Amino acid sequence: MGNPTPGRSLLRRTLGGVVLVVRKFAALILLLLVVLLALRAWQSTQGPSLRAWHKVAPVEMDAHDIAQASWAEYVAAEQRMFDEVHRDLQDKMEAGDRTPLNRYVDGSLASPMAFGRDWNRSFVLEPAGEVRGVAVMLHGLTDAPYSMRSLADVYRRHGYVAIVPRMPGHGTVPAGLTREGRKEWEAATEMAMREAARRAQGRVPVHLVGYSNGGALAVLHVMRRIARGERNDVERVVLVSPMIEVNAFARYAGLAGLPSFFPRFARSAWLDVLPEFNAFKYNSFPVRAARESYLVTSDVSAAIADVAAQGRMDRVPPILAFQSVVDDTVNAPAVATRLFDALPANGSELVLFDVNRNRVLAPILRTNATQWSQAALQGPARRYTVTVIGTASPDDASVVARTRPAGSTHVQVEATTLRYPADVYSLSHVALPFPADDPLYGNVPTGRAHLQLGTVAVRGERNTLAVSQDSLNRLSWNPFHDDMAMRIEAVIR
């Protein structure tokens, strides 16, 4: 045969060059990944060592068993698991672990029992009189049922039975989140909803209330039932700091834990390894929990898309959501763009807690993180109501509610009896569920507790504390909690 034509030779050389470039690029990416993993492995050897509560993962019911269990069976298994965890920790904790600020030391300042009751466990609040409804309350990631305690009491006072399940992996030791994940959380949600249906018996309304990751689970429950063509089992949804979208890091968080395959680098399975002085929330945070949080939000997006594609968004019950305009845990604007903008005109409302726009504080606030709340009151009419709670003016710390009703472009301004605290520049993701008088997280706490995290004010040299100064300064209570409770009471009535 003859020699290849010049055109074919050029094509082969071009393809060969492309293949070479692709191989070099792939090799570069592989090298970069190896370097990053090596750095991550080295970094894991530099921090504090893992303690017993990072290593002893409780054995809980799996998703299949939870799906088959009754509320009573779930609570009984939970009790056995708590007893086992307590025995294991007492055996495996070292002498240096037994400090006055360790939540796992009986009688310590941070012990859950210092608050009169271990609110890490699933609980039910019963109304004093006639049952007028049932509310299922879902707590957030690394939290415990304690975070729903105040809102559960709001419902109880109005005649509702408040059912507050502990999500698997929570309330015990941080290691629990290295084993449990979204499948178990979804099963626990379904189990609690079955208990709500049993108590409601179709005679009284059922509300589903979710905080943070619990908010995502609540939306997921509602959307999946609609997508499956099942009858809606919820009359109203209430969301607090809902986890509709998390930052991009969570998507790839699993890569950070790869070096933990080798025992020497076991600590790389953790993003934070911190002292556990918070009675009802983990301070330490495993890589797996970050990855699972992303997967939950991914499931939520897919479920919303399914319902929209089926033309069934008109079946979504009204949603009342509360969100801080700035939020370092979730993507705050996504609550509007990814969830509320997809809703029908069904009476839903998004309430935003704005930053303190005091003339003195304004210059030190990041504009790109705070301006979206102003845009929410502008532009074309929406199918839902938007309310922004914030300062009346740069010179007036009194708080007003600016509301744009569904279908309207007119903004109504209503005065409140509230004032923005002078030393607070914004709310935070973790602040919303807790009133100012919360025994642990409030700034004017009530009760018998000796540890009051909401009033912590420590000063000294930087790079000295085992926890970040930012975490100690993060607002842990909601100065507008009364307003939030009033709006929830309005939908209850």
Side-chain angles (χ1 to χ4, degrees):
M1 295 181 64
N3 293 329
T5 63
R8 289 182 178 178
S9 297
L10 177 61
L11 178 60
R12 288 178 180 176
R13 289 197 300 271
T14 302
L15 290 176
V18 170
V19 170
L20 182 61
V21 170
V22 170
R23 287 177 176 173
K24 288 183 177 180
F25 183 73
L28 181 62
I29 294 297
L30 181 60
L31 177 62
L32 180 61
L33 181 61
V34 169
V35 170
L36 290 176
L37 290 177
L39 287 173
R40 174 63 179 162
W42 172 82
Q43 182 190 42
S44 70
T45 64
Q46 303 305 301
S49 59
L50 299 179
R51 314 307 302 166
W53 46 90
H54 300 118
K55 301 175 183 178
V56 182
V59 178
E60 300 203 43
M61 299 172 73
D62 62 24
H64 177 268
D65 290 340
I66 296 172
Q68 306 300 318
S70 66
W71 174 265
E73 290 168 339
Y74 182 77
V75 170
E78 180 181 84
Q79 176 64 54
R80 293 191 295 270
M81 182 267 298
F82 267 88
D83 291 343
E84 183 177 341
V85 169
H86 184 266
R87 289 193 299 269
D88 284 348
L89 283 181
Q90 301 314 306
D91 289 342
K92 296 177 180 178
M93 280 195 300
E94 301 174 4
D97 295 328
R98 301 184 184 281
T99 70
L101 282 181
N102 187 340
R103 65 180 280 185
Y104 300 115
V105 174
D106 294 341
S108 74
L109 298 176
S111 168
M113 293 310 298
F115 297 82
R117 175 176 176 175
D118 188 355
W119 294 97
N120 285 302
R121 308 180 185 214
S122 303
F123 67 86
V124 175
L125 295 186
E126 304 273 1
E130 178 186 359
V131 174
R132 298 181 54 232
V134 182
V136 172
M137 329 279 287
L138 308 177
H139 66 77
L141 186 63
T142 74
D143 277 312
Y146 181 86
S147 63
M148 306 307 294
R149 175 179 165 225
S150 176
L151 295 182
D153 195 53
V154 170
Y155 272 92
R156 181 197 59 79
R157 292 198 306 267
H158 286 270
Y160 275 61
V161 176
I163 300 173
V164 189
R166 179 194 60 87
M167 292 293 110
H170 294 77
T172 54
V173 291
L177 290 178
T178 65
R179 182 193 295 269
E180 312 298 333
R182 70 192 189 286
K183 297 301 181 185
E184 289 75 25
W185 307 335
E186 291 165 16
T189 300
E190 299 296 324
M191 179 272 303
M193 291 303 298
R194 287 198 305 274
E195 176 66 8
R198 185 187 71 82
R199 287 173 172 264
Q201 297 182 352
R203 297 182 296 102
V204 295
V206 175
H207 285 199
L208 183 53
V209 185
Y211 163 53
S212 188
N213 190 58
L217 294 171
V219 174
L220 188 60
H221 170 82
V222 169
M223 294 295 175
R224 280 184 169 170
R225 283 187 68 91
I226 295 173
R228 292 193 299 260
E230 298 175 3
R231 183 179 63 84
N232 208 330
D233 60 350
V234 175
E235 181 183 88
R236 171 78 67 163
V237 177
V238 177
L239 306 176
V240 180
S241 300
M243 187 178 285
I244 303 302
E245 183 177 283
V246 291
N247 63 43
F249 170 77
R251 181 172 187 171
Y252 305 103
L255 296 176
L258 289 179
S260 64
F261 178 80
F262 302 99
R264 172 176 170 75
F265 307 118
R267 192 182 174 281
S268 67
W270 294 80
L271 296 177
D272 290 308
V273 175
L274 299 170
E276 295 297 326
F277 55 80
N278 195 325
F280 304 115
K281 183 179 178 67
Y282 301 148
N283 291 333
S284 303
F285 192 62
V287 166
R288 187 173 187 273
R291 174 66 178 169
E292 289 294 296
S293 70
Y294 164 75
L295 293 174
V296 170
T297 60
S298 180
D299 288 346
V300 169
S301 294
I304 293 173
D306 283 348
V307 173
Q310 296 174 19
R312 294 178 174 176
M313 289 301 291
D314 60 328
R315 302 186 186 184
V316 177
I319 298 177
L320 172 63
F322 300 91
Q323 175 64 53
S324 173
V325 167
V326 289
D327 192 315
D328 194 49
T329 300
V330 304
N331 182 341
V335 179
T337 59
R338 301 288 293 274
L339 176 60
F340 272 78
D341 286 351
L343 296 177
N346 64 353
S348 293
E349 181 177 6
L350 174 59
V351 180
L352 303 176
F353 294 111
D354 204 5
V355 296
N356 188 346
R357 298 188 182 276
N358 178 283
R359 188 179 302 280
V360 176
L361 291 174
I364 61 175
L365 296 176
R366 294 179 179 176
T367 304
N368 62 336
T370 62
Q371 287 304 312
W372 75 276
S373 63
Q374 307 302 301
L377 295 173
Q378 302 168 3
R382 291 178 169 82
R383 293 186 295 271
Y384 55 92
T385 297
V386 178
T387 297
V388 178
I389 310 294
T391 48
S393 74
D395 299 307
D396 187 354
S398 61
V399 170
V400 298
R402 297 178 174 89
T403 299
R404 190 165 80 153
S408 173
T409 58
H410 176 67
V411 176
Q412 304 167 358
V413 181
E414 180 182 0
T416 73
T417 59
L418 304 169
R419 293 184 66 81
Y420 219 119
D423 59 343
V424 173
Y425 57 83
S426 80
L427 272 64
S428 71
H429 179 83
V430 300
L432 268 62
F434 304 105
D437 63 354
D438 184 87
L440 179 58
Y441 302 116
N443 72 322
V444 284
T446 58
R448 52 181 282 186
H450 299 290
L451 181 64
Q452 299 165 346
L453 299 179
T455 60
V456 168
V458 293
R459 293 177 172 83
E461 184 55 277
R462 60 187 179 184
N463 298 323
T464 303
L465 298 175
V467 297
S468 72
Q469 191 71 37
D470 282 348
S471 66
L472 293 177
N473 290 337
R474 196 180 193 189
L475 188 69
S476 61
W477 55 277
N478 184 354
F480 311 131
H481 189 277
D482 288 348
D483 182 89
M484 183 174 74
M486 178 188 69
R487 295 174 186 277
I488 294 174
E489 288 170 346
V491 303
I492 293 175
R493 289 193 294 268

